[in-house]
Amino acid sequence: MLFVATLIDIDYFRLRLCFARMDISKIWLLLVLAFFHMRGNRIFIQDWIAHHTYQKTNEIDSYYLRVANEINDSLSTLWFEEQETNELIHTDALKTLSIYLTCYLEDVIAKTGIFAAFRTIHTELYNQLLPFHADNDLTDYYAEDINSEDVAVLTWLFFSERNPHLFIDPRGRLIQLVTDLAYAILEEHYEVAPENEKLKLEYVLDEGANYFEVRNFIEKLVATNYLTAGEYNTNLNHLMQVAEIGRYQHDQNQLQQMIYRVRDNHFNNYRLHLYALKASEFVAAVIGKEHRLHDIVKTLGNRMNSFFEFVKTDELYVHVKHIGTKTAFKIFKDSIQQFVEPTETLSFYMEIVPWKDAWNLSGIMTVVNAEEINFDLPEQYEMTYRIEALNGKDKSLKKTEKQLKDMGKLFQSEHKAAVAFMEGKEVKEFATDFFKKYQQKYPSKEESPLPESNLDLTEDAQVTVFFNPKTGLEVFGGIAEFFPLKNNKFVEKDDQSEVPYARYFLNLLVEDFFPSELPKYYVNLFKAEVDKQFFFPLNDAVLDFFLRFYKRGTYFLGPFPLLK
């Protein structure tokens, strides 16, 4: 009985008095419930090892498991009056967070370089060590040690990645309390915690690695380290479900092809919340610039998806020419399974990635007819820019940027802002008139049809038209009230109520539907008002960090020309 009383942390004498008033069946029920409650709140070795690359555990893993449980026990005492905050700290979330922060301790001691890479990238982008902390405020900060500021940033990343529809104040009570409780335990163990040499070896890339070894290393690191694994694997699993992989269970060859196809697309296309990086870019920061394969790793996710014309083959390569730019490419022949040299001129749609001094097929390669070749797609504009950049040129990019800049100046001169307001029935005519005015003011030697609108708007909808400097005209409903401007006919001019500028900014920031340029424009348009209401003043570095985090899907989008 004493043993059970100790387990459930109840004073023995109170427990004995309580038991004296109950029959034996109720006593056993209480003990069973207490046992399962404690068991449900414990972190087990299989939970810990799930966040690692290996399965066989040792005494070092057992040590860090104890640390994770100490953090979990401490964090489990948290309670907030706000229901929304309490919902964030449910049992499973706190268990995972405890493992996550313990992995940070393990990372720093083993010098695996995960958090160091995060800090290196932040420094390169913003000339500051950490988000939300100015360097001159880090008076007791040592990059080679654990730091409470690191724990605060990690805690914000943890909750924000798992709740992207919410904005969590990085200096708020939730982050502060978690940091204080967790860091106290991490600091207690820092001087005595063992170095996990096994983990460190798992995250070392052989400088003589071949293409598949490099590719597998990148996937292994990004899918198992505490900083990126959660979101990377969640999104990959989502894509597997969307692709309905289960349909191919009866055909193992087709199943493996589909799994590889989904993984390959995810590897090349997915951008992390961390700085909107691709997996290969983050892993390059982990291995460091001194590694011989650093540049190769960093660019391995830069896949080209475009149309090519077959030229010839030799012993090592398949030679092709990009149809749009006439640029020659060499594809390693051994990356194309069962390649048969064509006996006639053929065009292909190919997905290729850079590897050393040539390219590897990474995805599909299929014959296309002339009518299937279309360079007017947004994706193909990006491919053209990138291929021209390989040749030290930027003609197409500069042309598009100039067109959008001229359009933006015209829009601004007409409306005194980058936004205009109208009813749904007016949008089509508005867009047509705008493009005609542009063509008159900036005549081109080439004839170009006006862009077609496929918008399905109700006639009386209150519409906001935004000129996006990367993609041109964009139309949104439901946000007209965000903009108390003179040209906004939907806002009462005599309304004296306070406008919640900061809340409107956050709506534009966290909702996927809105492009990265819209909250950026909004906060600059109402800079003083947002800063006054926001948790803290938004400097350019913090704003850009937020835009990359919340708008990773559109941050690098464009520019796309609207008229040829």
Side-chain angles (χ1 to χ4, degrees):
M1 190 66 68
L2 282 171
F3 174 69
V4 175
T6 303
L7 264 182
I8 60 177
D9 199 27
I10 299 176
D11 179 80
Y12 171 63
F13 295 103
R14 284 182 57 202
L15 183 69
R16 186 175 60 179
L17 181 62
C18 180
F19 282 178
R21 296 174 181 172
M22 288 191 277
D23 60 43
I24 192 67
S25 62
K26 290 182 179 179
I27 293 173
W28 278 111
L29 178 60
L30 174 64
L31 295 177
V32 169
L33 290 174
F35 173 76
F36 280 105
H37 170 74
M38 293 301 296
R39 181 177 176 84
N41 200 36
R42 304 307 292 165
I43 301 170
F44 296 96
I45 194 65
Q46 60 266 33
D47 303 319
W48 168 257
I49 211 66
H51 293 74
H52 292 70
T53 59
Y54 54 84
Q55 296 300 312
K56 190 174 181 180
T57 63
N58 54 36
E59 66 278 3
I60 293 177
D61 294 301
S62 298
Y63 181 93
Y64 284 108
L65 175 63
R66 289 197 299 275
V67 177
N69 270 306
E70 287 180 32
I71 294 175
N72 185 44
D73 288 343
S74 185
L75 296 184
S76 296
T77 64
L78 288 173
W79 181 84
F80 295 88
E81 292 182 359
E82 304 88 358
Q83 182 179 352
E84 190 176 56
T85 305
N86 255 341
E87 289 174 354
L88 297 178
I89 56 171
H90 56 82
T91 300
D92 288 342
L94 291 184
K95 286 167 64 175
T96 305
L97 174 59
S98 300
I99 295 172
Y100 180 89
L101 295 177
T102 305
C103 285
Y104 159 71
L105 173 67
E106 182 185 41
D107 167 34
V108 173
I109 291 175
K111 294 181 173 59
T112 48
I114 304 303
F115 191 79
F118 173 86
R119 189 170 49 223
T120 296
I121 297 165
H122 193 273
T123 303
E124 290 176 351
L125 287 172
Y126 310 117
N127 199 30
Q128 295 280 335
L129 288 171
L130 296 173
F132 322 132
H133 299 274
D135 281 1
N136 54 12
D137 293 333
L138 301 176
T139 55
D140 194 30
Y141 187 91
Y142 301 94
E144 67 276 10
D145 297 338
I146 61 169
N147 297 278
S148 61
E149 295 87 354
D150 297 347
V151 175
V153 170
L154 286 168
T155 302
W156 184 87
L157 289 170
F158 178 88
F159 284 114
S160 297
E161 283 176 1
R162 287 156 179 79
N163 304 277
H165 58 290
L166 297 176
F167 181 85
I168 297 169
D169 179 6
R171 301 176 186 176
R173 288 180 63 243
L174 171 64
I175 305 302
Q176 288 178 355
L177 290 174
V178 170
T179 298
D180 290 345
L181 292 172
Y183 184 70
I185 294 168
L186 294 174
E187 190 175 35
E188 179 184 334
H189 286 275
Y190 177 64
E191 296 295 340
V192 296
E195 178 181 339
N196 191 341
E197 294 181 1
K198 187 176 181 180
L199 177 65
K200 186 174 182 179
L201 289 174
E202 287 287 319
Y203 288 157
V204 173
L205 175 62
D206 186 341
E207 293 198 344
N210 63 33
Y211 169 75
F212 289 105
E213 289 169 338
V214 171
R215 170 66 182 268
N216 290 338
F217 175 82
I218 295 172
E219 283 197 276
K220 177 179 75 172
L221 192 151
V222 80
T224 58
N225 85 82
Y226 65 98
L227 204 51
T228 61
E231 62 159 312
Y232 190 82
N233 293 326
T234 297
N235 191 71
L236 177 58
N237 290 334
H238 171 71
L239 292 179
M240 290 287 187
Q241 293 174 0
V242 170
E244 298 181 343
I245 296 296
R247 293 183 302 164
Y248 305 98
Q249 292 289 350
H250 64 284
D251 187 335
Q252 287 301 306
N253 287 333
Q254 194 173 12
L255 175 64
Q256 292 305 314
Q257 289 177 9
M258 282 299 300
I259 291 175
Y260 177 79
R261 177 70 177 152
V262 173
R263 282 182 55 192
D264 191 60
N265 283 336
H266 183 246
F267 175 85
N268 286 290
N269 298 328
Y270 184 70
R271 290 193 174 275
L272 300 164
H273 278 102
L274 299 183
Y275 311 111
L277 296 176
K278 290 188 176 181
S280 55
E281 294 169 324
F282 177 74
V283 173
V286 174
I287 65 174
K289 291 182 179 179
E290 66 281 359
H291 196 289
R292 193 170 69 86
L293 296 178
H294 171 271
D295 292 349
I296 290 174
V297 169
K298 187 173 183 178
T299 59
L300 198 62
N302 293 347
R303 188 168 72 179
M304 293 283 187
N305 315 318
S306 198
F307 302 98
F308 300 86
E309 184 179 282
F310 172 75
V311 177
K312 65 177 182 178
T313 61
D314 57 31
E315 186 177 348
L316 288 177
Y317 306 109
V318 174
H319 296 262
V320 297
K321 179 174 64 177
H322 183 249
I323 295 173
T325 63
K326 311 303 180 187
T327 301
F329 283 79
K330 298 185 300 183
I331 318 297
F332 282 108
K333 188 187 290 185
D334 60 6
S335 72
I336 307 174
Q337 292 184 2
Q338 301 176 340
F339 180 75
V340 178
E341 182 172 354
T343 57
E344 58 183 319
T345 301
L346 287 179
S347 297
F348 297 96
Y349 174 80
M350 301 179 70
E351 298 174 342
I352 57 177
V353 295
W355 175 249
K356 297 186 175 178
D357 60 346
W359 298 75
N360 266 349
L361 183 70
S362 177
I364 63 175
M365 175 180 180
T366 183
V367 175
V368 292
N369 299 319
E371 60 270 18
E372 295 176 286
I373 299 172
N374 184 2
F375 285 101
D376 289 332
L377 301 172
E379 178 189 65
Q380 293 309 313
Y381 286 118
E382 180 188 348
M383 296 301 116
T384 297
Y385 304 150
R386 286 171 52 192
I387 292 172
E388 286 186 349
L390 292 174
N391 299 320
K393 300 177 181 179
D394 58 5
K395 181 180 177 181
S396 297
L397 177 61
K398 291 296 184 185
K399 180 181 177 181
T400 301
E401 287 178 338
K402 184 180 185 309
Q403 182 189 93
L404 287 166
K405 185 177 181 180
D406 290 341
M407 284 186 176
K409 287 194 295 186
L410 176 61
F411 194 99
Q412 184 78 26
S413 67
E414 295 267 325
H415 305 285
K416 311 306 177 189
V419 283
F421 309 92
M422 62 201 70
E423 294 181 347
K425 61 187 177 184
E426 303 173 274
V427 171
K428 189 172 183 179
E429 184 179 353
F430 172 87
T432 301
D433 289 345
F434 174 74
F435 288 122
K436 284 181 178 178
K437 288 178 183 177
Y438 170 80
Q439 287 179 322
Q440 291 169 1
K441 187 166 185 176
Y442 302 95
S444 173
K445 296 178 181 178
E446 304 174 35
E447 289 191 12
S448 176
L450 297 179
E452 294 184 7
S453 172
N454 297 316
L455 294 172
D456 184 19
L457 299 169
T458 57
E459 289 197 353
D460 59 349
Q462 295 184 2
V463 171
T464 302
V465 178
F466 169 58
F467 187 86
N468 188 326
K470 289 184 177 181
T471 57
L473 298 182
E474 297 194 29
V475 178
F476 304 99
I479 62 170
E481 64 178 336
F482 291 16
F483 297 87
L485 299 171
K486 291 181 180 180
N487 69 330
N488 188 350
K489 64 182 182 181
F490 301 120
V491 173
E492 293 290 338
K493 301 300 185 290
D494 298 328
D495 189 353
Q496 299 299 312
S497 59
E498 183 178 18
V499 178
Y501 292 100
R503 179 165 63 83
Y504 288 158
F505 162 69
L506 289 177
N507 286 347
L508 298 175
L509 180 69
V510 303
E511 292 294 336
D512 282 343
F513 181 73
F514 301 112
S516 63
E517 293 300 312
L518 187 53
K520 181 179 179 180
Y521 171 74
Y522 188 87
V523 78
N524 287 321
L525 182 65
F526 300 112
K527 176 66 175 167
E529 293 86 350
V530 172
D531 279 350
K532 183 179 179 181
Q533 298 177 4
F534 200 65
F535 303 103
F536 47 85
L538 278 168
N539 60 43
D540 290 343
V542 173
L543 174 60
D544 187 72
F545 179 82
F546 284 150
L547 291 174
R548 286 171 177 262
F549 184 91
Y550 289 102
K551 302 297 185 183
R552 65 194 193 281
T554 60
Y555 185 88
F556 290 104
L557 195 64
F560 302 136
L562 298 178
L563 298 171
K564 293 183 182 178

